Amino acid sequence: MKHVVVTGGAGFIGSHVADAFIERGYRVTVVDNLSSGDRRNLNPRAEFIETDIRDFDIRPLRPDVVSHHAAQMDVRKSVADPVFDTVVNVVGSVRLLQQCVEAGVKRFIFASTGGAIYGEPVYVPQDEKHPVNPLSPYGCAKLAVEHYMHYFREVHGLSTVALRYANVYGPRQSAHGEAGVVAIFARRMLAGQPVTINGDGGQTRDFVFVRDVVAANMAVAESTVAGPFNVGTGVETTINSLYLMMAKLIPGAPQATHAPAKVGEQMRSVLAASLRKPDVNVAEGLAETVDWFRSA
């Protein structure tokens, strides 16, 4: 039986990835410090190690595959404390990569970022050849890890692949902290509370359903492709359109209010879906997501 370690496997995306590996017949070990993850997301068939990625030593486990989702994921926190962000997201990841070489890991999958790496688009949709101009320490850290992955692949022979996620949404997404706009809107609208749209709402994002993100992870888990690969839909959705679609799913939701635009907020973000075409469109994904938030 093949063995995979999923770091951040109690989190939103990581827990879905862990579930998929279990369904594929893998032995799964989840590593998470529960700073943003939730025990309720853990699959009962997975082994769980509660620890920080900075303190974790993967070598005794000697897994076949590592799916690295553990991260300091708050862009605002990365701006406020870039050193902390670097220690977690860069140093923690490089330690893990070195240990993977020493443990004989056969495949290393890295959860990277699309919009935060590319910055404001020079052209759309942004493909993997688009200039990389990160505008946050978080984006800088993800790009740095991709460079380290290239080093470990070329010099040490570690099979690595980076998946650059667009704006992921779906069941289990937290509506607290640096959460996605879909989760924030869903929680507030279902509670009868107004939502706030920053700026005029014309800014666009590429919303990709978590099941399509999981499918992308499974597509590269047993291959040797190196990437990086975008994981998006190629479809732009304005925040105003997102609110209207969700309002149709939540009758009686309060009217949205507008606040001043966030300084430096990216106005457009849409990724070319080069690895695989998504199976779930935004309307379908939002309906499933709202149903989950309603029941949760």
Side-chain angles (χ1 to χ4, degrees):
M1 179 184 293
K2 291 184 178 179
H3 182 200
V4 60
V5 170
V6 182
T7 71
F12 161 44
I13 302 172
S15 66
H16 284 283
V17 171
D19 289 348
F21 274 115
I22 287 172
E23 292 304 313
R24 280 200 165 198
Y26 278 72
R27 172 190 164 203
V28 174
T29 300
V30 167
V31 177
D32 202 301
N33 68 357
L34 300 179
S35 60
S36 58
D38 192 319
R39 286 185 184 274
R40 292 172 296 182
N41 294 337
L42 291 169
N43 191 304
R45 289 186 283 168
E47 175 191 9
F48 176 51
I49 300 174
E50 184 177 350
T51 188
D52 192 288
I53 191 64
R54 293 167 291 177
D55 303 321
F56 175 57
D57 188 348
I58 202 170
R59 289 171 293 187
L61 297 177
R62 303 188 68 82
D64 300 284
V65 179
V66 173
S67 174
H68 184 34
H69 281 78
Q72 189 300 109
M73 54 180 272
D74 190 328
V75 174
R76 291 170 296 183
K77 188 169 186 177
S78 80
V79 173
D81 192 349
V83 174
F84 174 75
D85 185 83
T86 301
V87 170
V88 176
N89 289 348
V90 180
V91 178
S93 298
V94 173
R95 285 184 69 255
L96 184 60
L97 282 161
Q98 179 65 43
Q99 291 172 4
C100 285
V101 170
E102 296 168 1
V105 169
K106 298 180 178 64
R107 188 65 160 158
F108 184 94
I109 305 167
F110 178 55
S112 191
T113 176
I117 273 184
Y118 296 123
E120 198 67 47
V122 177
Y123 59 84
V124 294
Q126 294 162 298
D127 56 24
E128 293 83 354
K129 295 179 181 179
H130 187 282
V132 285
N133 297 305
L135 296 172
S136 68
Y138 172 78
C140 292
K142 291 289 190 179
L143 182 58
V145 174
E146 288 192 16
H147 287 309
Y148 275 106
M149 288 167 62
H150 175 79
Y151 159 74
F152 279 100
R153 182 172 64 249
E154 295 298 319
V155 176
H156 296 286
L158 178 64
S159 177
T160 64
V161 63
L163 298 178
R164 293 176 174 173
Y165 297 163
N167 287 66
V168 188
Y169 70 99
R172 300 182 192 165
Q173 187 169 25
S174 171
H176 306 288
E178 177 74 357
V181 63
V182 172
I184 294 172
F185 279 14
R187 282 288 192 201
R188 294 190 64 84
M189 293 168 75
L190 286 167
Q193 300 169 342
V195 300
T196 301
I197 297 174
N198 297 309
D200 64 7
Q203 59 268 44
T204 68
R205 295 294 182 265
D206 184 344
F207 294 103
V208 59
F209 193 57
V210 67
R211 196 157 58 242
D212 282 314
V213 174
V214 170
N217 277 267
M218 296 303 105
V220 301
E222 296 177 1
S223 73
T224 58
V225 294
F229 293 106
N230 288 338
V231 181
T233 69
V235 177
E236 287 182 274
T237 302
T238 68
I239 303 304
N240 286 333
S241 296
L242 177 74
Y243 166 78
L244 292 174
M245 283 189 283
M246 294 183 70
K248 289 182 180 178
L249 297 167
I250 306 173
Q255 186 69 32
T257 60
H258 287 262
K262 285 186 177 181
V263 177
E265 181 179 12
Q266 192 169 322
M267 286 305 298
R268 298 184 73 187
S269 180
V270 56
L271 305 185
S274 53
L275 180 63
R276 62 181 301 278
K277 297 299 181 184
D279 296 321
V280 184
N281 64 39
V282 176
E284 295 166 340
L286 286 177
E288 186 171 329
T289 302
V290 168
D291 282 345
W292 182 85
F293 274 100
R294 188 177 279 118
S295 62

